[in-house]
Structures are given as C-alpha cells and as structure tokens.
Amino acid sequence: METLKRIQILRADSNQTVDAEIIRLTTDVAREKIDKVWWKLPSVSAEEMNDEGDFHWDWERLARIYSGKILHECVAVLSQENYLEGAMVYQFNAKSKLEPNKESVYVGWLASAPRNRNWLVSQTFYKGVGTMLLYWALRESYDAGLGGRISLQSLPTPSTVQFYENKGLVRIDLTQPTNDLVDYELPESAALAWLQKQGDLP
Amino acid sequence: MMENKDIFDGVIGGRKLSKKFVKEEILEPNGSEPTSELDRKLSRLMALHPELVRFRRSNLAGLDEPTKRALLEDMYDVLGVTPLRNE
C-alpha cells in the first residue's frame, strides 16, 4: 500500500495518539479491506446497518472509477492493526459555490469505519478519523492552489452541524430540505485558520 | 490533543458532483499516470492553473528532480502558496 503521509490518530479507549498512515486507496484494497470487512459487526443489526447512509456504498467501484486520476483521489486511513479506519474520495475541479469564479475540492464520499461510530458500537476503536480525512482534503486543496476551499454535501444532523459550524463550514442554501443532503463549503479564511491551528501554516 | 468539538466520525456525501458544479474547462490530463508524488503534484497544478504553464513545458518527461522541484517552487510562488509544514 502506498503511504501518502504519516499521521497520528486518537485511540478511543485510552485517548492516546498512535501512529497511522494516509494511504492511496486502490480497487484491491477497497474490496479486501472495506467492502469485505467494515460491516461485519456482530453487535449491529441489519436494520441499524441499513440506516447508515453509506451501508450500500461500493468502495471497490469508487476506487475503480476514481483512482489513478490527476483530478481525483481515493485515500484511506490505515491503523497499526492494518485496518482501514476511514476512507474518502474527492475531486479538484469543483466550482466553489461561495466564490463561483474559484475552484474547490469536492468531498464526494467520506466515511469513518463503522466500528468507529459511537452510535453503532458500544466501544469504538478510534476517534476523529473523519476529522483527519476532512483535514487531509483541506491540505490537498491548499497544496493545489485552491486556498483550502472544500465543498461537500451532508445530512444536517445536529452533531454534524455543530462540527461544521465549529470548523467554519458555511451552509450554502438555507432553503434546501433538511431530510436530504445539504451543501456546505469551507471558505478560504476558515481553511487558513484551521491550517494555522494545526501548525501547518505560520 | 483533539477536543470533543473537533471530533467527526460520521459520513459525508455519497453523491457524484452535479455537472453544473464541475469546472468543465479543467480537464483530466491525458497521458500516463505520474510515477511520483512530485509528478502528480505538478501535473495537478498544471491542469488546475494552465495559465501558469502557458509558456513552459507541460510535459514533465525528461526533467530531472531538482528542475521539477524548482518548477514547483515557482508555481507556489505565483499562486501565493506557502509550503505546508509537516509535509
């Protein structure tokens, strides 16, 4: 597996950070380490799985379509247990909805592994993997000269809205129905603030 | 240390970007897949900012690594991108 960056992630049981890697997701890895593995959770019922928005996502197919391109990326977080703790697909040629003459990175698919969702399992393995992936998309946007702008579509559940507001993501259209995916964007100013807070920019 | 308000472990998206929000003038480059991260980064910058390389070689083949690094620095300079720490 191709390592893109060494990172640290937070163990849920001890609150200790441990080493992990952001890797490029290939079709084989997506099939063997996500599609065949993630939903094998004995304590989670079929109904609970069906309620998860990504239960039917086919990561192998996504990797087949989007990996190996310049304007798309498929990545995942690999833990020391050789388990993929989250994955993401994003693209670089999206229009910014806040600044239509500029581009943003569009996060099309992002998911933490089901075993890391505290509403599904009683003891999760890692915390904040989704945050790490979103931050990676921000870094990629900045590195590509797009100012760190990222756009995404998400269900506006209370917990996600709280997280987005905390990070400075802006809801684009307040008239969009909240029972469907809603457009959000991280503007350049909030992206730069996040990069500075992480110590990646002076 | 990550604070609770910074923790996100959910799901985002699940939908292909609508065509009306794709910058159609930015095209996936033709040719073989880059063989290094540096090549990938340069190819991406050239695709996203074609005005930068209008008078330069758009083909990376034949350039040695120091030249590619210098090209990247030039591009960052023009774009106002400060290289990120913790690379």
Side-chain angles (χ1 to χ4, degrees):
Chain A
M1 283 182 274
E2 185 185 355
T3 301
L4 297 175
K5 184 170 170 58
R6 297 190 189 284
I7 59 168
Q8 294 217 305
I9 55 176
L10 196 59
R11 278 204 67 96
D13 54 358
S14 62
N15 264 339
Q16 298 293 309
T17 53
V18 294
D19 292 336
E21 297 169 24
I22 292 189
I23 61 153
R24 182 161 286 128
L25 190 63
T26 60
T27 52
D28 289 351
V29 173
R31 180 181 61 248
E32 297 300 323
K33 290 192 166 292
I34 298 181
D35 295 337
K36 288 186 180 178
V37 174
W38 271 14
W39 296 100
K40 292 207 168 16
L41 296 171
S43 63
V44 181
S45 70
E47 191 180 0
E48 286 174 309
M49 290 184 195
N50 258 315
D51 284 344
E52 294 298 297
D54 61 324
F55 178 56
H56 298 288
W57 291 4
D58 181 342
W59 285 96
E60 180 188 4
R61 180 176 161 276
L62 290 172
R64 190 182 313 117
I65 295 170
Y66 296 114
S67 65
K69 295 191 173 181
I70 297 294
L71 297 177
H72 292 76
E73 279 285 6
C74 305
V75 300
V77 172
L78 179 70
S79 64
Q80 290 173 327
E81 295 102 312
N82 199 28
Y83 191 97
L84 293 188
E85 307 294 347
M88 173 172 67
V89 178
Y90 53 99
Q91 69 186 77
F92 290 84
N93 56 345
K95 288 178 188 168
S96 163
K97 290 175 185 168
L98 289 173
E99 298 181 80
N101 59 333
K102 295 187 174 174
E103 297 86 37
S104 74
V105 161
Y106 174 71
V107 177
W109 292 264
L110 182 154
S112 295
R115 76 174 192 168
N116 292 323
R117 302 179 198 173
N118 60 13
W119 59 94
L120 272 185
V121 296
S122 54
Q123 179 59 61
T124 55
F125 283 74
Y126 291 98
K127 292 197 285 191
V129 172
T131 313
M132 300 300 292
L133 285 167
L134 206 55
Y135 184 66
W136 175 257
L138 183 168
R139 281 182 59 110
E140 288 274 271
S141 169
Y142 181 83
D143 249 351
L146 307 184
R149 283 181 296 277
I150 48 179
S151 51
L152 57 89
Q153 297 183 308
S154 169
L155 277 176
T157 60
S159 62
T160 55
V161 168
Q162 193 177 22
F163 172 75
Y164 294 154
E165 285 177 356
N166 174 43
K167 289 301 178 195
L169 281 118
V170 175
R171 188 170 160 183
I172 301 295
D173 179 359
L174 292 171
T175 66
Q176 280 181 299
T178 54
N179 60 349
D180 196 5
L181 298 180
V182 168
D183 295 329
Y184 286 91
E185 187 164 313
L186 184 75
E188 183 171 358
S189 56
L192 297 180
W194 195 348
L195 285 164
Q196 285 169 341
K197 190 177 176 195
Q198 292 298 122
D200 284 338
L201 275 184
Chain B
M1 178 62 73
M2 201 182 282
E3 297 174 40
N4 277 341
K5 63 180 182 173
D6 295 329
I7 289 173
F8 176 73
D9 283 312
V11 173
I12 286 173
R15 254 181 225 161
K16 194 176 169 183
L17 182 61
S18 162
K19 273 190 178 172
K20 67 178 178 180
F21 293 117
V22 176
K23 282 246 174 179
E24 289 171 347
E25 60 271 34
I26 299 174
L27 301 171
E28 181 74 27
N30 292 321
S32 55
E33 195 176 340
T35 53
S36 70
E37 276 311 296
L38 180 57
D39 281 13
R40 184 179 295 272
K41 198 172 270 196
L42 287 168
S43 298
R44 187 171 288 150
L45 284 166
M46 289 190 287
L48 289 170
H49 310 283
E51 72 281 6
L52 285 185
V53 288
R54 192 171 298 159
F55 302 110
R56 292 186 176 136
R57 290 174 59 160
S58 59
N59 183 0
L60 297 173
L63 298 184
D64 60 17
E65 178 131 344
T67 306
K68 289 178 187 173
R69 293 208 171 276
L71 179 59
L72 182 63
E73 279 179 30
D74 281 354
M75 287 182 168
Y76 276 173
D77 198 36
V78 171
L79 289 167
V81 172
T82 305
L84 295 174
R85 293 173 181 165
N86 306 320
E87 274 295 323

